[in-house]
Short mmCIF file of all heavy atoms in Angstrom, two decimals:
data_model
loop_
_atom_site.label_atom_id
_atom_site.label_comp_id
_atom_site.label_asym_id
_atom_site.label_seq_id
_atom_site.Cartn_x
_atom_site.Cartn_y
_atom_site.Cartn_z
N MET A 259 155.24 148.44 105.58
CA MET A 259 155.79 147.43 104.69
C MET A 259 156.37 146.31 105.54
O MET A 259 156.00 146.07 106.66
CB MET A 259 156.82 148.01 103.75
CG MET A 259 157.94 148.76 104.39
SD MET A 259 159.31 147.71 104.73
CE MET A 259 159.75 146.90 103.31
N ASP A 260 157.33 145.62 105.01
CA ASP A 260 157.87 144.48 105.71
C ASP A 260 159.17 144.88 106.38
O ASP A 260 159.77 145.87 106.05
CB ASP A 260 158.08 143.34 104.73
CG ASP A 260 156.76 142.88 104.17
OD1 ASP A 260 156.22 143.58 103.33
OD2 ASP A 260 156.27 141.84 104.62
N PRO A 261 159.62 144.08 107.31
CA PRO A 261 160.82 144.42 108.06
C PRO A 261 161.98 144.72 107.10
O PRO A 261 162.10 144.12 106.05
CB PRO A 261 161.11 143.16 108.86
CG PRO A 261 159.87 142.37 108.87
CD PRO A 261 159.01 142.84 107.76
N GLY A 262 162.80 145.61 107.48
CA GLY A 262 163.96 145.86 106.65
C GLY A 262 164.19 147.33 106.37
O GLY A 262 165.31 147.73 106.08
N TYR A 267 163.39 149.59 114.91
CA TYR A 267 162.38 148.89 115.69
C TYR A 267 162.59 147.39 115.57
O TYR A 267 162.63 146.84 114.46
CB TYR A 267 160.98 149.26 115.19
CG TYR A 267 159.87 148.49 115.87
CD1 TYR A 267 159.47 148.85 117.16
CD2 TYR A 267 159.25 147.41 115.24
CE1 TYR A 267 158.46 148.15 117.78
CE2 TYR A 267 158.24 146.72 115.87
CZ TYR A 267 157.85 147.09 117.14
OH TYR A 267 156.86 146.40 117.77
N PRO A 274 154.85 139.37 121.72
CA PRO A 274 154.42 139.03 120.37
C PRO A 274 152.93 139.28 120.15
O PRO A 274 152.16 139.39 121.10
CB PRO A 274 154.73 137.54 120.29
CG PRO A 274 154.58 137.07 121.70
CD PRO A 274 155.05 138.21 122.56
N VAL A 279 141.78 133.84 113.39
CA VAL A 279 140.75 134.05 112.38
C VAL A 279 139.40 133.95 113.09
O VAL A 279 139.23 133.15 114.02
CB VAL A 279 140.81 133.03 111.23
CG1 VAL A 279 142.03 133.28 110.36
CG2 VAL A 279 140.83 131.61 111.77
N ASP A 280 138.45 134.77 112.66
CA ASP A 280 137.06 134.66 113.11
C ASP A 280 136.21 134.43 111.87
O ASP A 280 136.43 135.08 110.84
CB ASP A 280 136.61 135.95 113.80
CG ASP A 280 137.23 136.11 115.18
OD1 ASP A 280 137.20 135.12 115.93
OD2 ASP A 280 137.72 137.20 115.49
N ARG A 298 130.82 130.49 124.55
CA ARG A 298 132.17 130.36 125.07
C ARG A 298 132.17 129.53 126.35
O ARG A 298 131.37 129.77 127.26
CB ARG A 298 132.77 131.73 125.35
CG ARG A 298 133.21 132.45 124.09
CD ARG A 298 133.80 133.79 124.43
NE ARG A 298 134.97 133.66 125.29
CZ ARG A 298 136.18 133.34 124.85
NH1 ARG A 298 136.37 133.11 123.58
NH2 ARG A 298 137.19 133.26 125.68
N VAL A 300 134.98 129.14 128.31
CA VAL A 300 135.99 129.61 129.27
C VAL A 300 136.01 131.13 129.28
O VAL A 300 135.60 131.77 128.32
CB VAL A 300 137.39 129.07 128.91
CG1 VAL A 300 137.40 127.55 128.97
CG2 VAL A 300 137.80 129.54 127.53
N LEU A 309 131.85 134.28 117.87
CA LEU A 309 132.07 133.67 116.56
C LEU A 309 133.02 132.49 116.69
O LEU A 309 133.94 132.52 117.51
CB LEU A 309 132.69 134.69 115.61
CG LEU A 309 131.78 135.82 115.16
CD1 LEU A 309 132.58 136.85 114.40
CD2 LEU A 309 130.66 135.27 114.29
N PRO A 310 132.84 131.47 115.87
CA PRO A 310 133.87 130.43 115.81
C PRO A 310 135.15 130.99 115.21
O PRO A 310 135.12 131.94 114.45
CB PRO A 310 133.25 129.37 114.91
CG PRO A 310 132.21 130.08 114.11
CD PRO A 310 131.72 131.22 114.97
N GLY A 311 136.25 130.38 115.59
CA GLY A 311 137.55 130.84 115.09
C GLY A 311 138.65 130.36 115.99
O GLY A 311 138.42 129.58 116.92
N GLY A 312 139.85 130.81 115.71
CA GLY A 312 140.97 130.39 116.55
C GLY A 312 142.31 130.80 115.99
O GLY A 312 142.37 131.53 115.00
N PHE A 313 143.33 130.31 116.62
CA PHE A 313 144.69 130.75 116.29
C PHE A 313 145.16 130.25 114.93
O PHE A 313 144.93 129.09 114.58
CB PHE A 313 145.67 130.25 117.35
CG PHE A 313 145.51 130.94 118.66
CD1 PHE A 313 144.89 130.31 119.72
CD2 PHE A 313 145.96 132.24 118.83
CE1 PHE A 313 144.73 130.95 120.94
CE2 PHE A 313 145.81 132.89 120.04
CZ PHE A 313 145.18 132.24 121.10
N ARG A 315 148.13 128.91 112.84
CA ARG A 315 149.33 128.18 113.23
C ARG A 315 150.55 128.68 112.48
O ARG A 315 150.43 129.32 111.43
CB ARG A 315 149.11 126.69 113.00
CG ARG A 315 147.98 126.21 113.92
CD ARG A 315 147.82 124.73 113.97
NE ARG A 315 146.85 124.40 115.02
CZ ARG A 315 146.25 123.23 115.11
NH1 ARG A 315 146.50 122.27 114.23
NH2 ARG A 315 145.40 123.01 116.10
N PRO A 316 151.73 128.38 113.00
CA PRO A 316 152.95 129.00 112.48
C PRO A 316 153.20 128.79 110.98
O PRO A 316 153.77 129.66 110.33
CB PRO A 316 154.06 128.35 113.30
CG PRO A 316 153.41 128.00 114.59
CD PRO A 316 152.00 127.61 114.23
N GLU A 318 150.83 128.04 108.59
CA GLU A 318 149.52 127.88 107.98
C GLU A 318 149.10 129.19 107.34
O GLU A 318 149.27 130.27 107.92
CB GLU A 318 148.56 127.49 109.11
CG GLU A 318 147.19 127.09 108.71
CD GLU A 318 146.38 126.78 109.97
OE1 GLU A 318 146.40 127.59 110.91
OE2 GLU A 318 145.72 125.74 109.98
N GLN A 343 137.74 136.57 102.80
CA GLN A 343 138.22 137.50 103.82
C GLN A 343 137.51 138.84 103.66
O GLN A 343 137.26 139.29 102.54
CB GLN A 343 139.72 137.66 103.64
CG GLN A 343 140.39 138.50 104.71
CD GLN A 343 141.82 138.81 104.37
OE1 GLN A 343 142.62 137.92 104.09
NE2 GLN A 343 142.18 140.07 104.37
N THR A 346 140.07 142.98 108.96
CA THR A 346 140.99 142.57 110.02
C THR A 346 140.84 143.52 111.19
O THR A 346 140.76 144.74 111.00
CB THR A 346 142.43 142.54 109.48
OG1 THR A 346 142.51 141.55 108.46
CG2 THR A 346 143.42 142.21 110.58
N ARG A 352 141.11 144.85 122.17
CA ARG A 352 139.98 144.00 121.79
C ARG A 352 139.97 142.67 122.53
O ARG A 352 138.93 142.03 122.64
CB ARG A 352 139.93 143.81 120.28
CG ARG A 352 141.07 143.04 119.70
CD ARG A 352 140.90 142.91 118.18
NE ARG A 352 139.75 142.10 117.84
CZ ARG A 352 139.77 140.78 117.81
NH1 ARG A 352 140.84 140.10 118.12
NH2 ARG A 352 138.68 140.10 117.48
N ARG A 355 143.38 139.89 127.38
CA ARG A 355 144.52 139.13 127.88
C ARG A 355 145.82 139.43 127.16
O ARG A 355 146.89 139.47 127.75
CB ARG A 355 144.23 137.63 127.76
CG ARG A 355 143.11 137.17 128.65
CD ARG A 355 142.52 135.90 128.13
NE ARG A 355 141.99 136.09 126.78
CZ ARG A 355 141.53 135.12 126.03
NH1 ARG A 355 141.56 133.88 126.47
NH2 ARG A 355 141.04 135.38 124.83
N ARG A 357 147.65 140.87 123.06
CA ARG A 357 147.45 141.56 121.80
C ARG A 357 147.08 140.54 120.72
O ARG A 357 147.90 139.69 120.35
CB ARG A 357 148.72 142.31 121.39
CG ARG A 357 148.58 143.13 120.12
CD ARG A 357 147.70 144.33 120.34
NE ARG A 357 147.21 144.90 119.09
CZ ARG A 357 147.73 145.96 118.48
NH1 ARG A 357 148.77 146.57 119.01
NH2 ARG A 357 147.23 146.41 117.35
N HIS A 401 133.01 141.10 118.47
CA HIS A 401 132.37 140.27 117.46
C HIS A 401 131.07 140.88 116.94
O HIS A 401 130.64 140.55 115.83
CB HIS A 401 132.14 138.87 118.02
CG HIS A 401 133.42 138.10 118.19
ND1 HIS A 401 133.45 136.77 118.53
CD2 HIS A 401 134.72 138.47 118.05
CE1 HIS A 401 134.72 136.36 118.61
NE2 HIS A 401 135.49 137.38 118.32
N MET B 95 137.79 132.91 116.07
CA MET B 95 137.45 133.44 117.37
C MET B 95 138.68 133.93 118.08
O MET B 95 139.74 134.04 117.53
CB MET B 95 136.72 132.40 118.20
CG MET B 95 137.44 131.10 118.39
SD MET B 95 138.80 131.15 119.50
CE MET B 95 137.97 131.34 121.05
N ASP B 96 138.53 134.12 119.32
CA ASP B 96 139.63 134.58 120.12
C ASP B 96 140.06 133.45 121.06
O ASP B 96 139.35 132.48 121.25
CB ASP B 96 139.22 135.80 120.92
CG ASP B 96 138.90 136.95 119.99
OD1 ASP B 96 137.83 136.93 119.39
OD2 ASP B 96 139.75 137.84 119.86
N PRO B 97 141.22 133.59 121.63
CA PRO B 97 141.73 132.53 122.49
C PRO B 97 140.71 132.17 123.58
O PRO B 97 139.99 133.02 124.07
CB PRO B 97 142.97 133.15 123.13
CG PRO B 97 143.30 134.34 122.32
CD PRO B 97 142.12 134.72 121.51
N GLY B 98 140.67 130.94 123.94
CA GLY B 98 139.78 130.58 125.03
C GLY B 98 138.92 129.38 124.73
O GLY B 98 138.46 128.71 125.64
N TYR B 103 145.90 124.54 122.12
CA TYR B 103 146.93 125.23 121.37
C TYR B 103 147.39 126.44 122.17
O TYR B 103 146.61 127.29 122.55
CB TYR B 103 146.39 125.68 120.02
CG TYR B 103 147.37 126.49 119.22
CD1 TYR B 103 148.43 125.89 118.57
CD2 TYR B 103 147.25 127.87 119.15
CE1 TYR B 103 149.35 126.63 117.86
CE2 TYR B 103 148.16 128.63 118.43
CZ TYR B 103 149.21 128.00 117.79
OH TYR B 103 150.11 128.73 117.09
N PRO B 110 156.62 133.87 117.50
CA PRO B 110 155.54 134.84 117.39
C PRO B 110 155.33 135.31 115.97
O PRO B 110 156.19 135.17 115.11
CB PRO B 110 156.03 135.99 118.27
CG PRO B 110 157.51 135.90 118.16
CD PRO B 110 157.83 134.44 118.07
N THR B 114 152.47 143.78 110.40
CA THR B 114 152.89 145.02 109.75
C THR B 114 151.70 145.63 109.01
O THR B 114 150.65 145.00 108.87
CB THR B 114 154.03 144.77 108.75
OG1 THR B 114 153.56 143.92 107.71
CG2 THR B 114 155.23 144.14 109.42
N VAL B 115 151.90 146.86 108.60
CA VAL B 115 150.95 147.47 107.66
C VAL B 115 151.72 147.82 106.38
O VAL B 115 152.89 148.18 106.43
CB VAL B 115 150.30 148.75 108.23
CG1 VAL B 115 149.33 148.40 109.35
CG2 VAL B 115 151.34 149.72 108.74
N ASP B 116 151.06 147.67 105.25
CA ASP B 116 151.59 148.15 103.97
C ASP B 116 150.59 149.14 103.42
O ASP B 116 149.38 148.92 103.49
CB ASP B 116 151.75 146.98 102.98
CG ASP B 116 152.91 146.08 103.34
OD1 ASP B 116 153.98 146.63 103.64
OD2 ASP B 116 152.76 144.86 103.31
N ARG B 134 164.08 149.67 98.55
CA ARG B 134 164.54 149.04 99.78
C ARG B 134 166.04 149.23 99.95
O ARG B 134 166.82 148.99 99.04
CB ARG B 134 164.21 147.55 99.78
CG ARG B 134 162.75 147.28 100.05
CD ARG B 134 162.46 145.79 100.06
NE ARG B 134 163.24 145.11 101.09
CZ ARG B 134 162.92 145.09 102.36
NH1 ARG B 134 161.84 145.72 102.77
NH2 ARG B 134 163.66 144.45 103.23
N VAL B 136 167.82 147.70 102.49
CA VAL B 136 168.46 146.55 103.13
C VAL B 136 167.87 145.26 102.59
O VAL B 136 166.75 145.26 102.07
CB VAL B 136 168.24 146.60 104.66
CG1 VAL B 136 168.91 147.85 105.24
CG2 VAL B 136 166.77 146.57 105.00
N LEU B 145 156.41 148.66 98.80
CA LEU B 145 155.44 149.59 99.38
C LEU B 145 155.98 150.15 100.69
O LEU B 145 156.67 149.45 101.44
CB LEU B 145 154.13 148.86 99.67
CG LEU B 145 153.31 148.44 98.45
CD1 LEU B 145 152.16 147.55 98.88
CD2 LEU B 145 152.80 149.69 97.73
N GLY B 147 155.60 151.06 104.58
CA GLY B 147 154.89 150.34 105.63
C GLY B 147 155.85 149.99 106.74
O GLY B 147 157.01 150.39 106.73
N GLY B 148 155.36 149.25 107.73
CA GLY B 148 156.24 148.86 108.82
C GLY B 148 155.48 148.19 109.94
O GLY B 148 154.28 147.94 109.84
N PHE B 149 156.18 147.94 111.01
CA PHE B 149 155.63 147.17 112.11
C PHE B 149 154.55 147.93 112.88
O PHE B 149 154.68 149.14 113.13
CB PHE B 149 156.74 146.79 113.09
CG PHE B 149 157.69 145.79 112.55
CD1 PHE B 149 158.94 146.17 112.10
CD2 PHE B 149 157.33 144.46 112.46
CE1 PHE B 149 159.82 145.23 111.58
CE2 PHE B 149 158.20 143.52 111.94
CZ PHE B 149 159.45 143.91 111.50
N ARG B 151 153.01 148.68 116.37
CA ARG B 151 153.60 148.66 117.70
C ARG B 151 152.64 148.06 118.71
O ARG B 151 151.43 147.98 118.47
CB ARG B 151 154.00 150.09 118.09
CG ARG B 151 155.10 150.57 117.14
CD ARG B 151 155.74 151.84 117.57
NE ARG B 151 156.91 152.09 116.72
CZ ARG B 151 157.50 153.26 116.57
NH1 ARG B 151 157.05 154.32 117.23
NH2 ARG B 151 158.54 153.39 115.79
N PRO B 152 153.17 147.64 119.85
CA PRO B 152 152.36 146.84 120.78
C PRO B 152 151.06 147.50 121.25
O PRO B 152 150.09 146.80 121.50
CB PRO B 152 153.31 146.63 121.96
CG PRO B 152 154.66 146.69 121.36
CD PRO B 152 154.57 147.71 120.26
N GLU B 154 149.31 149.99 119.63
CA GLU B 154 148.89 150.87 118.56
C GLU B 154 147.80 150.18 117.74
O GLU B 154 147.89 148.99 117.43
CB GLU B 154 150.11 151.13 117.68
CG GLU B 154 149.99 152.17 116.63
CD GLU B 154 151.30 152.25 115.87
OE1 GLU B 154 151.85 151.19 115.48
OE2 GLU B 154 151.78 153.37 115.65
N GLN B 179 141.32 150.24 105.00
CA GLN B 179 141.87 148.88 104.97
C GLN B 179 141.24 148.11 103.83
O GLN B 179 140.05 148.26 103.55
CB GLN B 179 141.55 148.22 106.30
CG GLN B 179 142.17 146.85 106.47
CD GLN B 179 141.66 146.15 107.70
OE1 GLN B 179 141.73 146.66 108.80
NE2 GLN B 179 141.10 144.97 107.53
N THR B 182 144.31 141.61 104.03
CA THR B 182 145.39 141.18 104.90
C THR B 182 146.09 139.99 104.28
O THR B 182 145.44 139.08 103.76
CB THR B 182 144.84 140.84 106.29
OG1 THR B 182 144.29 142.02 106.86
CG2 THR B 182 145.92 140.29 107.20
N ARG B 188 155.66 134.57 102.79
CA ARG B 188 155.69 135.87 102.12
C ARG B 188 156.89 136.71 102.54
O ARG B 188 157.29 137.61 101.83
CB ARG B 188 154.38 136.63 102.32
CG ARG B 188 154.08 137.03 103.74
CD ARG B 188 152.77 137.80 103.80
NE ARG B 188 152.84 139.07 103.10
CZ ARG B 188 153.34 140.18 103.61
NH1 ARG B 188 153.82 140.19 104.84
NH2 ARG B 188 153.38 141.28 102.91
N ARG B 191 162.24 135.79 106.19
CA ARG B 191 162.94 135.79 107.48
C ARG B 191 162.08 135.30 108.63
O ARG B 191 162.55 134.61 109.54
CB ARG B 191 163.44 137.19 107.79
CG ARG B 191 164.52 137.68 106.86
CD ARG B 191 164.60 139.16 106.87
NE ARG B 191 163.33 139.74 106.46
CZ ARG B 191 163.05 141.03 106.49
NH1 ARG B 191 163.96 141.87 106.96
NH2 ARG B 191 161.89 141.47 106.08
N ARG B 193 157.67 134.96 110.22
CA ARG B 193 156.25 134.95 109.90
C ARG B 193 155.68 136.35 110.08
O ARG B 193 155.62 136.87 111.21
CB ARG B 193 155.51 133.97 110.82
CG ARG B 193 154.02 133.84 110.51
CD ARG B 193 153.80 133.13 109.18
NE ARG B 193 152.47 133.31 108.66
CZ ARG B 193 151.46 132.47 108.83
NH1 ARG B 193 151.63 131.38 109.53
NH2 ARG B 193 150.28 132.71 108.30
N HIS B 237 154.18 142.29 97.22
CA HIS B 237 153.61 143.62 97.06
C HIS B 237 152.96 143.83 95.69
O HIS B 237 152.11 144.70 95.55
CB HIS B 237 154.68 144.68 97.33
CG HIS B 237 155.08 144.77 98.77
ND1 HIS B 237 155.90 145.73 99.27
CD2 HIS B 237 154.73 144.01 99.84
CE1 HIS B 237 156.07 145.56 100.57
NE2 HIS B 237 155.38 144.51 100.94
#
Side-chain angles (χ1 to χ4, degrees):
Chain A
M259 55 91 53
D260 295 75
Y267 175 77
V279 290
D280 287 313
R298 284 181 60 80
V300 298
L309 290 171
F313 290 104
R315 296 190 172 164
E318 188 181 49
Q343 185 189 307
T346 297
R352 66 180 294 278
R355 294 158 300 173
R357 184 71 198 261
H401 290 188
Chain B
M95 56 74 71
D96 296 76
Y103 176 76
T114 63
V115 290
D116 287 315
R134 284 181 60 80
V136 297
L145 290 171
F149 290 103
R151 296 191 171 161
E154 189 181 46
Q179 186 189 305
T182 296
R188 65 179 295 278
R191 293 158 301 173
R193 183 70 196 265
H237 290 187

